[in-house]
């Protein structure tokens, strides 16, 4: 099932909720610092079970660093940020614009 079909089936209220959630994501990352995330609890199941870093370890801190324009620090947390962040940004923009367009077209 295509994402456009899924978004198209939502009511107007659900599109407003989707837009609010999408807007909350960057606000949350901007309001946090990498140190805040670093000092928080470890939520990675792999790391909790094995004690070793998983391939995604550091990506939350890296994304937070990107939002604070600390690109070198983001890369140091996890080099995969150069692949992951542009993909996430593309998906965020795609779904945000799609939700806005569908909301505008609904009467």
């Amino acid at each position: 099932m295509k994402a456009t079909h899924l978004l198209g089936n939502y009511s107007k209220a659900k599109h407003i909720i989707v837009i609010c959630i999408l807007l909350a994501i960057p606000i949350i990352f901007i309001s946090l610092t990498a140190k805040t995330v670093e000092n928080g609890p470890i939520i990675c199941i792999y790391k909790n079970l094995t004690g070793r870093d998983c391939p995604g370890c550091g990506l939350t801190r890296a994304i937070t660093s990107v939002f604070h324009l600390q690109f070198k620090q983001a890369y140091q947390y996890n080099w995969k940020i150069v692949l992951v962040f542009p993909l996430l940004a593309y998906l965020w923009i795609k779904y945000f614009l799609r939700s806005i367009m569908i909301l505008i077209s609904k009467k």
Side-chain angles (χ1 to χ4, degrees):
M1 186 177 272
K2 294 174 80 178
T4 53
H5 184 61
L6 287 173
L7 286 175
N9 289 334
Y10 286 177
S11 67
K12 187 174 182 177
K14 288 184 181 178
H15 279 290
I16 292 171
I17 292 170
V18 168
I19 291 167
C20 289
I21 291 170
L22 287 171
L23 287 173
I25 293 170
I27 291 170
I28 290 168
F29 277 106
I30 290 168
S31 66
L32 294 173
T33 64
K35 294 295 179 196
T36 304
V37 176
E38 194 171 300
N39 295 331
I42 297 173
I43 58 172
C44 177
I45 295 170
Y46 182 83
K47 185 164 185 151
N48 283 329
L49 291 175
T50 66
R52 297 175 26 168
D53 287 349
C54 73
C57 278
L59 278 175
T60 303
R61 290 174 283 162
I63 291 169
T64 304
S65 296
V66 169
F67 273 101
H68 290 274
L69 305 178
Q70 299 169 337
F71 302 111
K72 183 178 178 183
Q73 183 181 9
Y75 187 83
Q76 290 171 346
Y77 280 128
N78 191 326
W79 68 268
K80 294 175 195 82
I81 193 67
V82 298
L83 304 171
V84 172
F85 189 79
L87 176 63
L88 290 176
Y90 166 76
L91 291 173
W92 185 91
I93 291 167
K94 177 182 172 181
Y95 286 109
F96 181 76
L97 292 177
R98 185 174 291 160
S99 293
I100 293 287
M101 296 305 290
I102 291 171
L103 188 61
I104 289 171
S105 68
K106 288 190 179 253
K107 294 181 180 175

